[in-house]
Amino acid sequence: MKKAKIFIEGMTCSACSSGIEKSLIKKGFVSHIEVNLIAKTALLEYDPKTTNLQDIFAFIKKLGYAPSTHNPNTNQNKSLIDLIKQRDFGTLDKRIFPPKIRLAISILCSVAVLYLAMLPMLVPHDVQVLIPPFDKQWANFYAQFFLALIAMHMGRDFYLKGFKTLFAKTPTMDTLIAISTSAALVYSLYSAYYGETHWYFESICVILTFVLIGKTIEQSAKDHANDVINALLSRSSKQAIRIDSANNEMEIPVDTIQKGDVLKILPGSTIPVDGVLVNGEGGVDESMLTGEVIPVYKKQNDRVFAGSTNTNRTFLIQATSTSAQSTLSAMAALIEEAITSKPKIASLADKISSIFVPSVIFIAFAAGLVWSVMKDLSFGFEIFIGVLVISCPCALGLATPMAVMIGNAIANRAGVFLRQAQTFENAHKASSIVFDKTGTLTNATLKVVAIKSFSTLDEAEILALSAGIEKGSEHLIAKAILAESNSRGIQAVSFDNFEAKAGFGIEATSLESTGRIYALGNDEMFATSKIDGAILDSHNTNALLCVYLGIKNQDSTYQVLGALWLEDTIKQSAPSIIQTLKEHHITPYIVSGDNQANTKRIADTLGIEHYKAGAKPNDKLAFIQKLQQQGEVVIMVGDGINDVGALEAADISVSFSNASDVSEKSANIVIYNHDLMRIDYILRLSRAVVKNIKENLFWAFCYNIICIPLACGALYGAGILLNPMIAAFAMSLSSVSVVLNAQRLWKFK
């Protein structure tokens, strides 16, 4: 199976997205598809042996939509000639007749028609209110007819898409508008032909105007959410200044930057790729990553990230990534995946929408026929139009994606990035949270506090060998050992043939000792080795992290040469997050590969009752699965390679910006900030988003349940009836109410 992402223009309601999904699956073009109404995208899987994208595109076009492999928004700034050459008539049409112009013309037509049709009914018959020649019936008719045609032309997308989807047996909201207003036009011409004055030109204009107003408000809300997200991603530079070996400066395109290039970063400019500061110092605005507006002071050897901004001084960085591999690109990928995915709760609206429009068309015909027989044809026709117009699947379609999109934008502004929309749905159900200890609850730095030799080697030799084995590793222990050797000015021994023993340690072959194999690892790696117990116990009383250095024997056992003790400290935000989680009735656990004494020390300090020490990757995975078997919804928080299995298995997984590449790719939530309280932030945001979705769905369902019977004339005997114009206003109001309710999420703190 091959995966692809495509863009689809022309969708207006959930009946559109569900119709595309249902039709493509039914025809066998795809095995799986998720269409996002707000993002106008589709994620699909298909068999390239039997289907190609051209077949899929051709079928989508038959349904009345415009598919493409590139984002149509990229064509907005192209010239009219280029758009014609590319046959992008959709963008061309929007350029010539933008939505606001269409709406303005439609409003003018509605005002003029209401003046011609309704004003004479509101004043006494002997009062002349119409200017000649419109006081004559024939002139009045042609004027209203002409204005109605103009209004219909402004809303031509409803007809082009509505009838296409009807003939494709996937009717949408456009279909309802197209049928109702077209029928009103035909009926008005029919009445005029037989000399009657039951014209519905004012209904046509007003219906289209109200719908266009609703669509304009919807689009404005969508654009606002998109703008917040795009603001994070638009901080990429187009050009960069590279310094060559001769110290010459050259301006180059950002996408040509290679790892190792030295780049000059001017004040006020955006850092183009990830790198390390090699010369100079200054403040860097990392708000796009962390949500913190205060610039971070950077000095030599500090890391800097693509998309952040140099605030005050010129400095030089050495690139550690290309533009495609940068933090900004990773953020873009996370955002794109989040806004194109679809939470399970949206499937309810999609299932209803797939049968909603056909059902409404049937109800409208039935109600119109019944009232035509019971009363008269004109009244039955009004009922028919009213039912079609008031029934709106748009509110259902907007309920979920609008809230999810705003939720994503809010999270991104705070430096929190969700991989899937389903995360909002799952996070608020969490009942347990499992923390890895080192680098998660404790600070991302360790310090070597003691070195002990169990052989003829001295401390410096033990440190040199340990640093050589750990050279190139990004593990916290490795960084601490390397930092200690650098601070003492000790040269690391050279090794090759490195072999990681997951959960235990690492082996490497010395280049200076005729192929001798050394090992650095935990006490379990050296379980069969003899160690001076008295010396070991004297250090473990402080619950420090201990790693052993040894040499591998021919029988694969190890001879211990020495040990290094390291100390970790609890993060400042750790006590707060544990207390907050308990207040939310979420049970915290620690599952760590560290020793029992150190793990217990951290757990006792934080008030965590449940913990497991000496955990291997499989142990962490089993721990998560055991909680799930007990009915718990589990969050896993980790940042190491050893956590990948547990992160994958957890219901919600959280990692951090400095996590290993593997753990970041395994996490549902990536926090570009080391503040653990962001976990509480995302849990509260999740509850707010889910609550908002449920409110939206409730009002959308209630609207249709109440208004459709009213439009059918259920309370006509009590003097209550919704005429087509009121129905159009109510339909637009339903979509706008959902959009406005979703906007309340922007107030989330």
Side-chain angles (χ1 to χ4, degrees):
M1 288 294 174
K2 187 175 181 180
K3 293 184 178 181
K5 175 190 172 183
I6 64 174
F7 295 86
I8 304 177
E9 283 285 300
M11 296 185 293
T12 56
C13 66
S14 59
C16 300
S17 54
S18 62
I20 293 171
E21 291 174 344
K22 187 176 179 181
S23 299
L24 284 173
I25 291 175
K26 186 177 180 180
K27 289 289 184 179
F29 284 114
V30 299
S31 58
H32 176 74
I33 180 171
E34 284 187 8
V35 179
N36 188 295
L37 176 64
I38 302 290
K40 300 179 182 178
T41 59
L43 301 175
L44 47 88
E45 293 181 17
Y46 65 97
D47 187 351
K49 295 178 182 178
T50 58
T51 310
N52 56 54
L53 275 180
Q54 286 70 31
D55 297 331
I56 296 173
F57 278 23
F59 184 75
I60 294 175
K61 286 177 181 177
K62 286 183 180 179
L63 296 178
Y65 308 101
S68 63
T69 53
H70 67 279
N71 192 338
N73 291 331
T74 59
N75 286 349
Q76 294 299 324
N77 297 324
K78 291 185 177 180
S79 67
L80 298 181
I81 301 297
D82 289 336
L83 293 175
I84 293 171
K85 287 180 179 178
Q86 294 179 9
R87 302 179 65 84
D88 189 355
F89 299 118
T91 304
L92 188 66
D93 183 43
K94 290 179 183 177
R95 184 78 63 81
I96 297 171
F97 275 108
K100 289 183 179 179
I101 295 296
R102 295 187 190 190
L103 177 58
I105 294 173
S106 181
I107 290 173
L108 290 174
C109 290
S110 297
V111 171
V113 170
L114 288 172
Y115 163 72
L116 295 171
M118 306 298 292
L119 193 58
M121 299 180 186
L122 302 176
V123 298
H125 292 290
D126 57 345
V127 177
Q128 182 66 33
V129 293
L130 297 179
I131 60 174
F134 302 115
D135 54 343
K136 307 296 183 182
Q137 184 170 322
W138 64 270
N140 194 299
F141 167 79
Y142 282 112
Q144 290 189 48
F145 175 58
F146 180 70
L147 290 167
L149 289 180
I150 294 175
M152 293 175 80
H153 185 58
M154 294 302 101
R156 57 189 176 277
D157 287 346
F158 296 126
Y159 305 96
L160 295 173
K161 298 169 190 172
F163 287 117
K164 267 191 176 182
T165 54
L166 177 64
F167 298 144
K169 299 179 182 178
T170 57
T172 64
M173 183 213 75
D174 293 332
T175 307
L176 300 179
I177 300 301
I179 291 176
S180 59
T181 53
S182 297
L185 181 70
V186 172
Y187 186 82
S188 299
L189 294 175
Y190 169 84
S191 296
Y193 181 78
Y194 285 100
E196 299 179 7
T197 56
H198 292 293
W199 308 331
Y200 289 93
F201 298 122
E202 76 283 355
S203 295
I204 295 171
C205 293
V206 173
I207 287 170
L208 291 170
T209 297
F210 279 139
V211 175
L212 288 172
I213 289 173
K215 289 297 171 190
T216 301
I217 295 173
E218 287 174 26
Q219 192 58 50
S220 176
K222 295 175 191 175
D223 290 343
H224 178 53
N226 269 319
D227 288 344
V228 172
I229 291 172
N230 291 333
L232 293 165
L233 306 181
S234 62
R235 300 180 69 162
S236 58
S237 303
K238 301 298 181 186
Q239 299 289 119
I241 301 173
R242 183 169 62 192
I243 310 294
D244 63 19
S245 56
N247 213 30
N248 296 318
E249 297 182 7
M250 179 183 296
E251 193 167 288
I252 61 171
V254 166
D255 56 11
T256 64
I257 295 174
Q258 299 296 316
K259 291 182 181 179
D261 285 352
V262 176
L263 307 172
K264 185 176 184 178
I265 311 298
L266 299 174
S269 64
T270 301
I271 296 172
V273 294
D274 295 349
V276 175
L277 198 148
V278 293
N279 187 279
E281 59 186 25
V284 175
D285 177 5
E286 295 183 345
S287 58
M288 45 76 69
L289 276 174
T290 64
E292 302 293 342
V293 295
I294 300 174
V296 180
Y297 176 74
K298 300 285 184 177
K299 60 185 184 303
Q300 194 165 339
N301 296 324
D302 284 348
R303 292 180 66 193
V304 292
F305 303 98
S308 53
T309 303
N310 178 9
T311 60
N312 52 11
R313 299 179 185 175
T314 299
F315 52 73
L316 302 183
I317 69 168
Q318 185 172 43
T320 57
S321 77
T322 64
S323 62
Q325 299 167 336
S326 70
T327 299
L328 190 64
S329 295
M331 286 169 52
L334 284 171
I335 292 172
E336 186 175 356
E337 188 173 348
I339 64 176
T340 53
S341 61
K342 185 184 295 187
K344 292 179 181 178
I345 197 170
S347 62
L348 174 63
D350 288 345
K351 288 178 182 178
I352 292 173
S353 294
S354 64
I355 61 172
F356 181 83
V357 177
S359 300
V360 165
I361 294 173
F362 173 79
I363 292 170
F365 271 110
L369 182 62
V370 168
W371 281 107
S372 295
V373 173
M374 292 177 58
K375 194 168 174 41
D376 57 57
L377 181 61
S378 177
F379 186 80
F381 186 73
E382 282 195 27
I383 293 291
F384 168 73
I385 295 178
V387 174
L388 288 178
V389 171
I390 204 166
S391 306
C392 182
C394 295
L396 291 172
L398 291 168
T400 300
M402 200 74 220
V404 167
M405 193 171 201
I406 294 174
N408 265 305
I410 293 170
N412 297 163
R413 286 196 308 192
V416 181
F417 296 83
L418 287 76
R419 189 175 301 281
Q420 294 284 338
Q422 291 93 321
T423 304
F424 281 121
E425 204 169 5
N426 296 333
H428 82 287
K429 303 175 185 176
S431 56
S432 297
I433 184 166
V434 177
F435 291 95
D436 175 44
K437 178 185 71 66
T438 307
T440 303
L441 290 173
T442 59
N443 287 305
T445 56
L446 295 171
K447 180 175 176 58
V448 176
V449 293
I451 301 174
K452 183 69 178 178
S453 175
F454 300 135
S455 63
T456 59
L457 300 178
D458 59 24
E459 285 190 15
E461 290 172 316
I462 291 172
L463 187 57
L465 287 165
S466 301
I469 294 172
E470 293 285 20
K471 196 169 185 179
S473 173
E474 289 296 315
H475 194 278
L476 295 177
I477 292 175
K479 289 180 178 179
I481 291 173
L482 290 167
E484 183 68 17
S485 67
N486 289 334
S487 68
R488 296 192 187 191
I490 296 174
Q491 183 69 34
V493 175
S494 298
F495 285 89
D496 66 0
N497 298 327
F498 297 91
E499 183 182 354
K501 305 286 186 181
F504 295 93
I506 189 169
E507 290 181 358
T509 304
S510 173
L511 295 177
E512 301 175 9
S513 304
T514 61
R516 184 171 290 180
I517 299 175
Y518 287 84
L520 189 73
N522 57 22
D523 53 355
E524 289 188 62
M525 189 175 190
F526 292 86
T528 59
S529 304
K530 294 181 180 180
I531 305 172
D532 189 330
I535 295 176
L536 181 63
D537 290 342
S538 69
H539 285 90
N540 274 349
T541 53
N542 294 322
L544 302 178
L545 179 64
C546 182
V547 292
Y548 298 95
L549 172 70
I551 190 167
K552 192 171 186 179
N553 300 318
Q554 290 184 350
D555 60 357
S556 295
T557 60
Y558 299 101
Q559 176 189 345
V560 178
L561 302 176
L564 301 92
W565 282 268
L566 302 94
E567 183 179 47
D568 55 357
T569 55
I570 294 173
K571 284 185 178 179
Q572 186 176 358
S573 56
S576 299
I577 187 61
I578 298 303
Q579 181 61 34
T580 302
L581 290 168
K582 287 182 176 181
E583 290 172 359
H584 292 321
H585 306 291
I586 299 175
T587 306
Y589 298 84
I590 295 178
V591 180
S592 174
D594 200 357
N595 62 59
Q596 176 74 17
N598 200 26
T599 304
K600 182 178 187 301
R601 175 176 69 89
I602 300 297
D604 290 346
T605 303
L606 294 175
I608 297 176
E609 299 176 9
H610 311 285
Y611 61 90
K612 180 178 178 61
K616 301 293 177 295
N618 287 342
D619 297 330
K620 294 182 179 183
L621 174 61
F623 192 90
I624 296 289
Q625 292 173 333
K626 182 179 179 181
L627 288 175
Q628 290 172 327
Q629 289 167 3
Q630 295 171 357
E632 302 288 323
V633 177
V634 184
I635 302 173
M636 172 66 195
V637 186
D639 69 343
I641 292 176
N642 292 345
D643 302 323
V644 171
L647 288 168
E648 291 279 8
D651 298 289
I652 308 102
S653 52
V654 180
S655 190
F656 299 90
S657 61
N658 65 337
S660 69
D661 288 341
V662 181
S663 61
E664 269 197 33
K665 290 174 183 176
S666 305
N668 303 131
I669 302 170
V670 177
I671 301 175
Y672 282 84
N673 185 299
H674 295 289
D675 183 4
L676 287 168
M677 287 304 293
R678 295 297 164 99
I679 296 173
D680 175 59
Y681 178 89
I682 202 64
L683 292 177
R684 290 188 293 107
L685 179 59
S686 167
R687 286 190 284 271
V689 168
V690 171
K691 180 183 178 183
N692 193 273
I693 290 172
K694 289 180 178 179
E695 289 170 351
N696 289 344
L697 289 173
F698 173 80
W699 290 114
F701 281 124
C702 283
Y703 163 83
N704 283 295
I705 289 171
I706 294 171
C707 290
I708 290 177
L710 287 177
C712 286
L715 296 181
Y716 177 67
I720 300 175
L721 181 67
L722 300 179
N723 69 40
M725 288 186 289
I726 295 176
F729 174 75
M731 184 268 279
S732 298
L733 193 61
S734 69
S735 297
V736 171
S737 64
V738 167
V739 169
L740 294 179
N741 187 55
Q743 299 307 299
R744 294 192 305 113
L745 282 170
W746 290 114
K747 298 179 181 179
F748 177 82
K749 301 293 185 183

